[in-house]
Amino acid sequence: MTSANPLEISFCSRILGTGLCVALAVGACFAEGSSLATIREEAVVTSTETQAGAETDNQDQPSELSVPPLDHKIYPDDRPSWIGEDPQLDGQRHRWPVVSVPSLTPEASRESLQMRIQLAVEAYVNQWAGSEQAGEAIRFDEAYIDAHLVNPSRHYSGVVTTSNGEMYEDATELVFDADFRDEVDRQWREHEVAERLAGLGLLGAGGVVLLMGLTSVLKFVNRVVA
């Protein structure tokens, strides 16, 4: 049997050693990859569990209100029911309840009621005349309203409890009868006639000015020709 050459034995040993190192390196890479995959899977599971736990905690905790609760008003038992009724605009006598804004003093409540009475009368006049300018053109003072429109049998002064404490309010009822509506019609017709006359007067004044201007021009032309 032929003996192996020392050079060949050394070369084979080197090839075997290199192959063994490569195999160990590949195995180590696979092992490291498996470990990294396992670590990533564990991290994903842990993150999912943490998020689920956080959502559960958030569901258990009461959510904050995005809109603050409305102010509640507590009225006394003797407050008349007609105060909260809508205006009744049918029949011969039209009824319109008016209530003041809750105020800190009785004086402020009465002033608020007077302001709201004026607004209610203006709104009624606008509706009856069919024009948004009627309420501004036709004015009724406080004495006329108290004598002809305020229902003397329906007036209320009381206390209302709000979130700011006890406050004062006043209420009354306005009654618009056929006589008042006739008065509104009369004054509105007079206003429209006055508006037309004012327009005609303005047109006439413009015509006079134009005529005077033409006369001046003709005089100037005659002087130049002469």
Side-chain angles (χ1 to χ4, degrees):
M1 182 177 58
T2 306
S3 61
N5 192 349
L7 293 176
E8 292 178 354
I9 295 174
S10 176
F11 179 74
C12 291
S13 300
R14 291 179 180 177
I15 292 176
L16 291 175
T18 303
L20 181 60
C21 291
V22 172
L24 291 176
V26 172
C29 290
F30 277 110
E32 183 177 0
S34 300
S35 300
L36 290 176
T38 303
I39 293 173
R40 289 174 182 174
E41 291 178 357
E42 293 178 353
V44 170
V45 173
T46 304
S47 177
T48 304
E49 293 177 351
T50 303
Q51 292 179 357
E55 293 177 356
T56 304
D57 294 339
N58 292 333
Q59 292 177 356
D60 294 339
Q61 295 178 356
S63 58
E64 297 181 358
L65 293 176
S66 58
V67 179
L70 298 176
D71 293 337
H72 295 284
K73 295 182 178 67
I74 301 176
Y75 299 103
D77 296 335
D78 61 346
R79 188 176 189 264
S81 60
W82 56 262
I83 296 178
E85 295 177 355
D86 295 330
Q88 300 176 8
L89 304 180
D90 54 352
Q92 291 297 319
R93 293 168 63 85
H94 298 172
R95 300 179 180 275
W96 195 305
V98 183
V99 60
S100 67
V101 177
S103 307
L104 295 176
T105 62
E107 294 77 11
S109 177
R110 288 191 291 269
E111 291 178 0
S112 174
L113 179 63
Q114 289 299 329
M115 292 179 60
R116 289 205 160 190
I117 287 175
Q118 289 288 348
L119 292 175
V121 173
E122 181 177 345
Y124 183 83
V125 170
N126 288 340
Q127 181 175 358
W128 180 254
S131 173
E132 294 295 331
Q133 288 76 33
E136 297 181 358
I138 305 174
R139 288 290 183 177
F140 298 94
D141 57 19
E142 184 177 340
Y144 180 93
I145 293 174
D146 290 340
H148 296 89
L149 302 180
V150 174
N151 186 355
S153 63
R154 285 193 169 181
H155 184 82
Y156 171 77
S157 296
V159 177
V160 54
T161 303
T162 67
S163 58
N164 296 325
E166 289 189 349
M167 306 186 79
Y168 299 90
E169 69 169 358
D170 287 83
T172 191
E173 183 185 63
L174 301 177
V175 179
F176 305 103
D177 56 12
D179 293 337
F180 177 76
R181 292 190 288 274
D182 291 341
E183 180 66 18
V184 171
D185 291 337
R186 182 186 66 80
Q187 293 196 30
W188 183 238
R189 286 194 300 268
E190 292 180 354
H191 174 76
E192 290 181 327
V193 171
E195 288 289 326
R196 294 193 188 99
L197 292 177
L200 291 175
L202 182 61
L203 181 61
V208 171
V209 172
L210 180 60
L211 181 60
M212 292 177 61
L214 291 175
T215 302
S216 300
V217 172
L218 290 175
K219 288 181 180 180
F220 177 77
V221 172
N222 290 333
R223 289 176 184 177
V224 172
V225 173

